[in-house]
Amino acid sequence: MACSSPAAGSLAGKHAPLPLTPLEDRMRVLAALGSVDAVVAFEEDTPEALLRALRPDVWVKGGDYSADALPEAGVLRGWGGQTVVLPYLDGRSTTGLADRAARAAADARTAP
């Protein structure tokens, strides 16, 4: 399992301040999953170098991406690996959650 660190360029263009959960906490939760062998953070714009070193059979991304648009998809194909994009669950993004929380807090401050 690979996690983008706050320094990773992959977070560029996302609403600030992301990630909401500190890297160490995200890594601890992921490492506790029975299906996860290891968790590592990366700071580069893409995880291509990490993937070349680890050579996973499967690379999974959230559904707000297209496998063809991911630069790392070609890297995986080089050794027969595959990129899988999970279906996007509408209304479940961290950015959406943060936006809703901020609106609720603003509404609470202005309520009589």
Side-chain angles (χ1 to χ4, degrees), residues 10-109:
S10 62
L11 296 175
K14 301 223 177 186
H15 295 252
L18 284 181
L20 295 176
T21 305
L23 176 64
E24 294 77 16
D25 292 351
R26 290 184 288 135
M27 292 179 71
R28 189 175 306 121
V29 168
L30 293 170
L33 298 173
S35 59
V36 174
D37 294 322
V39 180
V40 64
F42 67 94
E43 294 187 358
E44 298 78 20
D45 289 346
T46 72
E48 290 179 63
L50 177 64
L51 293 172
R52 281 190 182 95
L54 298 176
R55 298 177 60 90
D57 294 323
V58 179
W59 174 246
V60 180
K61 293 287 286 184
D64 49 348
Y65 297 92
S66 159
D68 294 334
L70 294 168
E72 60 266 28
V75 172
L76 274 99
R77 282 192 299 272
W79 60 79
Q82 73 178 82
T83 302
V84 176
V85 177
L86 297 176
Y88 180 76
L89 299 175
D90 193 33
R92 304 287 173 115
S93 74
T94 302
T95 301
L97 175 63
D99 289 345
R100 288 191 305 277
R103 280 194 305 274
D107 290 348
R109 284 192 300 270

